[in-house]
Amino acid sequence: MTETTPAQPQTQPQPQNTTAQLKRGVVKQVLSGDAIVLRGPPVNGPPKEMTVYLSNVSAPRLAKRPTDNSEGTPDEPYAWESREFLRKKVVGKEVTFFRDFTATSGREHGRIYLGDSENAENVTESSVAEGWVEVRQGTKGTDEYTQKLNELQEAAKASKKGKWGPEEEAKNHIRDIKWTIDNPRNFVDSLKQKPQKAVIEQVRDGATVRALLLPDFHYITLVMSGVKAPMVRTGAEGKVVEADPYGEEARFYTESRILQRDVEVVLESVSNQNFVGSIVHPNGNIAEMLLRDGFAKCVDWSIALASCGTEVYRTAERYAKEHKLRLWKTYQPSAALSGDKKSFQAKVMEIVMGDALVIKKDSGEVMKIWLSSIRPPK
């Protein structure tokens, strides 16, 4: 995180510890309605991160995904709405973190301010005012600040906002998450390649993500069709234990653009229990961007599935090759065909797909070629 000493917002109460550090960072991820991950500036690679918690409040707990050793847990009522309120407000934005205290566990607790110093918004106060978090009683913090939070909470209760709505409604605010899909192929076919709204919940590597499909909360692992990014293997607490060259950079590239963003997903096929498809963000197709900037390579087995068409990805990859970007920094183009070399006789050895085949020249050389200017049916 970047330490700074900007003028404090006019509405910001003075903490007991006047030497507390202010830090600025970009919100990478919102873990729950009261916890976020801040990301500093990248320096010679992916940036440092820190998890911070909103002081004096608690949010309903989100569901935990089942694992081999655990059955998982369901949402507490309103946990999703609490997380979504904060996510939509701060993800991808630069904020100021004001540390109130460090818990014995080592967790940093404080306040998040959104906006410039003249009229910065205290997001804790906003969450309390909308009824998405509850004020902790008897916790650390200035009496004046706690009093203000309590006043906001009482107003939210009186208006029956958020989690303070009718008790009988609480059961309707628990997600029914589908952690597994019994027949992935049938599921893909049922969607008929129609774009599905989704939130990207995790980026495993530059071209593999976990996404939550909306509004029915199907949780899927998605491999981007037509591309392959360098491998990243993580261990405990998500720490990288092994990565191919440019693997961490490729993952950061994808994270910084689509992690916890609202996107559209087109499911095109399946590979084992993983789904294969395209991800479209309002700013463009992330797979095409990865290829153009040299963070991924085209893969033959799934490129024909890509909704945008094969040539879009081939063109993006060629650009990275020509400019020797990252994965292509040592790329040497094959000698161009000239004169009578532009045509030759060969034997077809294999049909790979509708626009690609493997041939064997009279010299014994085996090569793969693609038919130009066409797009075969999927």
Side-chain angles (χ1 to χ4, degrees):
M1 300 304 100
T2 303
E3 296 185 6
T4 183
T5 54
Q8 294 180 6
Q10 295 177 352
T11 59
Q12 176 175 304
Q14 295 296 321
Q16 293 175 339
N17 179 9
T18 57
T19 61
Q21 292 178 338
L22 286 168
K23 296 185 178 181
R24 291 191 67 81
V26 173
V27 177
K28 168 190 171 181
Q29 189 173 11
V30 174
L31 303 178
S32 62
D34 59 358
I36 70 173
V37 179
L38 282 182
R39 188 180 71 217
V43 179
N44 299 322
K48 292 183 178 179
E49 300 174 358
M50 66 181 292
T51 300
V52 299
Y53 297 81
L54 302 183
S55 59
N56 291 31
V57 299
S58 62
R61 298 297 93 188
L62 286 162
K64 290 186 178 180
R65 186 164 63 94
T67 65
D68 294 338
N69 302 318
S70 170
E71 295 182 356
T73 61
D75 278 346
E76 291 183 357
Y78 299 100
W80 172 250
E81 291 91 337
S82 177
R83 200 288 296 263
E84 285 296 271
F85 176 80
L86 192 56
R87 178 185 72 86
K88 292 179 179 180
K89 184 176 288 290
V90 301
V91 157
K93 297 179 181 178
E94 188 175 47
V95 299
T96 299
F97 171 65
F98 196 106
R99 185 177 63 226
D100 285 323
F101 63 92
T102 302
T104 54
S105 62
R107 290 179 173 182
E108 301 277 11
H109 292 253
R111 313 166 206 176
I112 296 294
Y113 290 91
L114 178 64
D116 58 52
S117 59
E118 292 300 320
N119 54 7
E121 175 187 359
N122 182 323
V123 300
T124 304
E125 294 177 0
S126 299
S127 294
V128 172
E130 294 300 321
W132 299 126
V133 295
E134 183 172 358
V135 179
R136 292 179 182 271
Q137 301 303 319
T139 56
K140 296 181 180 180
T142 64
D143 290 341
E144 180 184 352
Y145 184 49
T146 303
Q147 181 180 354
K148 182 174 183 179
L149 293 180
N150 280 321
E151 290 172 354
L152 291 171
Q153 179 165 283
E154 289 306 311
K157 287 182 176 180
S159 300
K160 299 188 181 301
K161 287 186 175 181
K163 63 174 292 184
W164 307 116
E167 291 187 10
E168 61 272 15
E169 286 294 314
K171 64 180 182 298
N172 298 325
H173 294 271
I174 300 174
R175 292 176 298 167
D176 177 19
I177 307 173
K178 290 81 173 177
W179 296 110
T180 58
I181 297 175
D182 293 334
N183 193 324
R185 181 71 260 177
N186 284 352
F187 184 71
V188 171
D189 291 342
S190 71
L191 298 178
K192 300 178 180 179
Q193 294 200 343
K194 293 181 179 178
Q196 306 296 308
K197 293 186 182 300
V199 176
I200 303 301
E201 294 293 322
Q202 181 186 359
V203 176
R204 287 174 48 183
D205 62 46
T208 307
V209 303
R210 287 197 170 110
L212 197 60
L213 303 184
L214 304 176
D216 295 326
F217 301 112
H218 289 95
Y219 189 84
I220 67 169
T221 298
L222 180 70
V223 179
M224 298 181 202
S225 57
V227 302
K228 180 175 176 57
M231 178 275 298
V232 177
R233 182 173 292 116
T234 57
E237 299 180 354
K239 293 184 178 180
V240 176
V241 296
E242 183 182 0
D244 289 340
Y246 295 105
E248 291 185 74
E249 291 88 344
R251 186 173 73 166
F252 170 68
Y253 185 94
T254 299
E255 277 186 346
S256 62
R257 287 160 175 79
I258 66 170
L259 179 62
Q260 284 206 330
R261 304 306 205 280
D262 295 306
V263 300
E264 287 191 336
V265 169
V266 180
L267 299 185
E268 296 154 348
S269 188
V270 295
S271 176
N272 297 321
Q273 289 299 306
N274 296 332
F275 292 86
V276 180
S278 301
I279 301 173
V280 181
H281 182 272
N283 292 334
N285 183 319
I286 185 64
E288 181 185 357
M289 297 163 68
L290 284 164
L291 289 168
R292 185 177 177 83
D293 286 334
F295 284 115
K297 296 182 178 182
C298 291
V299 290
D300 295 338
W301 74 269
S302 64
I303 195 169
L305 300 170
S307 302
C308 64
T310 301
E311 190 55 32
V312 171
Y313 287 177
R314 298 285 184 203
T315 300
E317 185 183 65
R318 280 197 296 272
Y319 178 89
K321 288 179 177 179
E322 291 167 0
H323 293 79
K324 296 188 176 182
L325 300 177
R326 300 177 179 90
L327 294 175
W328 303 105
K329 66 178 182 179
T330 60
Y331 171 73
Q332 294 296 327
S334 302
L337 295 175
S338 62
D340 59 355
K341 292 184 179 180
K342 290 184 178 181
S343 63
F344 52 84
Q345 290 187 336
K347 182 178 180 180
V348 175
M349 306 296 294
E350 179 184 357
I351 302 297
V352 180
M353 57 186 70
D355 65 343
L357 57 157
V358 177
I359 63 171
K360 183 176 183 180
K361 300 169 68 173
D362 291 341
S363 63
E365 178 186 357
V366 176
M367 62 187 296
K368 182 183 291 185
I369 62 174
W370 284 264
L371 306 180
S372 64
S373 304
I374 67 168
R375 178 184 178 187
K378 294 182 175 62

